[in-house]
Amino acid sequence: MEARGDEDACGIPLTNLDVSEAKRFEDDSIWPCFERLRREDPVHYCQESPYGPYWSITKYRDIVAVDTNHKIFTSEQGVTIVDVPEEHWTPSFIKMGPPKHGEQRNTVSPIVAPDNLAKLEELIRRRVKTILDSLPRNDTFNWVDMVSIELTTQMLATLFDFPFEDRRLLTYWSDIAVTTPKIGHAISWDKRSAILSECLDYFTRLWRDRINAEPRVDLISMMAHSSATRQMEPREFLGNLILLIVGGNDTTRNSITGGLLFMKKHPSELRKLRDNPNLVSSAVSEIIRYQTPIAHMRRNATADTIMGGKQIRQGDKVIMWYISGNRDDEVIEDADRFVIDRKNVRQHLSFGFGIHRCVGRHLAELQLRILWEEMLNARLEVEIIGEPERVASNFVHGYSALPVRIIA
């Protein structure tokens, strides 16, 4: 499959190269395409694609320049390459500029502040131990379902104070939210909206309970009792729910799976970690860089501007390919290698930059760190016994299955 990527990337004219094709992400053949763009045309215009014309920003420094300039590059028309029909549009604070963006973001950010993370650490560790202890020995199982999804969904349920027995609904809604008709799926916009309306109905019941109760440290209560969010229209409430569910789910979930895959494919790095468990935090950062669980973010130009010698026009769609910038060896030495103790290991793009930098990044790192600490403590010997199944998406860079076996 990778050969197909090499052949396509090298054999077609640059003007015809469209890196948005979801199939390339599903079969893991996207890498040569980004390598070619970084080398030959780092600010690349694609005239024709299923998503219309768009600019690809593929190098690290250019991505940072776009991400940190919210006045010229706005997120108000969406953060994915897909143009969402107006009747299905849901506002959220990631699609807003100042001051409203900051007011709504600041409403929920205390839940991932250092003092609250310190309170959550013991809970996360207890849950990780329970999950690892419950895994079958000497039998094949899906790591994505039994570890990656289970851990992150339990955490999401805690953050929302969501009924624990219904927590898998959060995973379901997250998957639906990032599934759009133009990313290789059969689901229609109307079907997607109908399912997400069920999400809104469920959370609206929780909202009514919280707004009539004393404020608590959960996301629904925080929004219900904040002047910046308590008057949200239902569509905006849904948009922020989707943002928080997806943000709390996909980065951690897919890095949990990717991390195991990378360690098993690079056994010298796993030995290095086992010999020196103090490298766990560094390893977590390298896992998040190497996985890049959110492949891209979109902006639109608010004015004519020049980047990389190219004229970007007002209104043009600009795609920051984090997944490419994280492999830019002009900034990250030997970027295609997985190295858990590399210099400046936190110097990656996976959380974004600027005002939209991932609000939950420290919680994601905490969950991954605890998971690897407990896996090392338990001396788990996990075998990967089949190829991973990847998600057919150019936005969420992730997995639907990874068959493994734990040797008793």
Side-chain angles (χ1 to χ4, degrees):
M1 287 183 178
E2 199 162 314
R4 167 194 174 253
D6 279 314
E7 182 181 335
D8 283 0
C10 299
I12 63 176
L14 265 177
T15 52
N16 296 341
L17 186 55
D18 174 16
V19 290
S20 72
E21 185 187 348
K23 183 66 177 172
R24 295 186 188 274
F25 293 83
E26 185 180 26
D27 65 21
D28 206 32
S29 66
I30 190 64
W31 306 104
C33 301
F34 283 130
E35 183 182 358
R36 183 181 179 194
L37 287 187
R38 288 195 303 272
R39 184 178 64 248
E40 298 180 27
D41 196 19
V43 180
H44 174 261
Y45 190 63
C46 179
Q47 177 65 47
E48 294 185 11
S49 85
Y51 313 97
Y54 68 93
W55 290 94
S56 283
I57 312 299
T58 57
K59 299 207 75 172
Y60 187 104
R61 293 187 181 96
D62 290 337
I63 291 169
V64 173
V66 171
D67 223 359
T68 54
N69 189 348
H70 63 271
K71 292 182 179 178
I72 296 293
F73 298 102
T74 180
S75 64
E76 293 182 10
Q77 289 167 261
V79 294
T80 73
I81 196 170
V82 179
D83 293 314
V84 178
E86 186 176 351
E87 64 270 26
H88 300 288
W89 176 261
T90 52
S92 65
F93 66 78
I94 200 173
K95 303 172 189 172
M96 299 173 184
K100 193 173 180 182
H101 163 268
E103 293 166 354
Q104 292 198 358
R105 179 184 170 107
N106 290 340
T107 293
V108 297
S109 59
I111 204 163
V112 288
D115 57 340
N116 202 51
L117 291 183
K119 296 174 185 174
L120 289 171
E121 181 163 356
E122 183 181 346
L123 173 65
I124 296 170
R125 193 173 300 279
R126 189 165 64 246
R127 286 177 174 172
V128 166
K129 288 179 178 179
T130 300
I131 289 170
L132 295 179
D133 288 345
S134 70
L135 297 175
R137 268 51 176 176
N138 297 324
D139 288 325
T140 301
F141 66 93
N142 181 2
W143 180 268
V144 174
D145 180 64
M146 296 189 70
V147 181
S148 305
I149 290 176
E150 188 56 31
L151 178 59
T152 51
T153 305
Q154 287 187 20
M155 192 70 256
L156 269 180
T158 298
L159 296 178
F160 283 111
D161 194 10
F162 190 87
F164 207 67
E165 65 277 9
D166 288 343
R167 63 188 180 278
R168 284 291 176 127
L169 284 172
L170 297 169
T171 305
Y172 175 60
W173 292 327
S174 179
D175 290 344
I176 292 296
V178 298
T179 299
T180 53
K182 288 192 176 176
I183 307 188
H185 298 276
I187 189 171
S188 67
W189 282 109
D190 287 341
K191 177 64 174 175
R192 177 180 178 274
S193 288
I195 294 170
L196 294 179
S197 290
E198 297 169 4
C199 169
L200 176 61
D201 290 343
Y202 196 118
F203 273 98
T204 298
R205 293 193 295 272
L206 298 181
W207 175 285
R208 289 174 182 146
D209 290 340
R210 309 289 160 83
I211 202 167
N212 293 315
E214 288 296 310
R216 303 203 303 262
V217 185
D218 70 76
L219 290 168
I220 303 302
S221 184
M222 287 172 164
M223 288 191 284
H225 289 276
S226 167
S227 59
T229 48
R230 72 163 65 103
Q231 300 299 328
M232 287 186 294
E233 294 293 326
R235 190 177 285 197
E236 187 174 338
F237 180 37
L238 177 60
N240 277 320
L241 288 172
I242 291 169
L243 171 60
L244 294 168
I245 292 170
V246 172
N249 175 57
D250 282 299
T251 297
T252 313
R253 163 180 162 182
N254 291 307
S255 295
I256 287 172
T257 303
L260 180 65
L261 193 62
F262 307 149
M263 290 293 185
K264 300 307 287 188
K265 284 190 172 183
H266 302 85
S268 62
E269 298 304 299
L270 180 56
R271 284 195 298 272
K272 194 187 293 181
L273 183 62
R274 285 172 170 166
D275 291 344
N276 183 6
N278 291 328
L279 288 174
V280 165
S281 292
S282 175
V284 164
S285 291
E286 179 69 346
I287 288 166
I288 293 170
R289 176 191 76 88
Y290 210 67
Q291 178 61 34
T292 317
I294 299 298
H296 80 260
M297 279 283 172
R298 164 196 177 163
R299 301 292 185 260
N300 283 79
T302 62
D304 291 357
T305 189
I306 302 290
M307 172 159 283
K310 303 291 185 69
Q311 175 77 62
I312 296 175
R313 301 289 183 186
Q314 181 179 354
D316 282 359
K317 187 187 299 186
V318 178
I319 306 302
M320 299 177 288
W321 291 105
Y322 293 157
I323 194 170
S324 174
N326 272 339
R327 299 296 180 98
D328 182 358
D329 56 16
E330 284 188 10
V331 176
I332 301 171
E333 183 180 353
D334 211 1
D336 278 329
R337 285 188 60 222
F338 178 70
V339 183
I340 66 168
D341 56 349
R342 67 168 59 248
K343 294 179 182 177
N344 303 317
V345 72
R346 296 181 65 83
Q347 185 184 15
H348 62 75
L349 294 164
S350 299
F351 294 130
F353 283 90
I355 65 171
H356 295 296
R357 187 163 170 80
C358 176
V359 69
R361 60 192 183 276
H362 298 306
L363 177 58
E365 291 171 333
L366 178 64
Q367 291 179 85
L368 286 159
R369 174 174 66 78
I370 292 173
L371 175 64
W372 277 100
E373 286 173 351
E374 293 305 322
M375 286 174 64
L376 292 173
N377 288 340
R379 299 187 178 185
L380 277 192
E381 192 60 55
V382 185
E383 282 187 335
I384 294 174
I385 60 169
E387 288 298 309
E389 293 179 19
R390 293 181 171 85
V391 178
S393 171
N394 57 31
F395 182 63
V396 172
H397 183 224
Y399 310 88
S400 56
L402 181 66
V404 303
R405 180 172 55 231
I406 294 176
I407 301 169

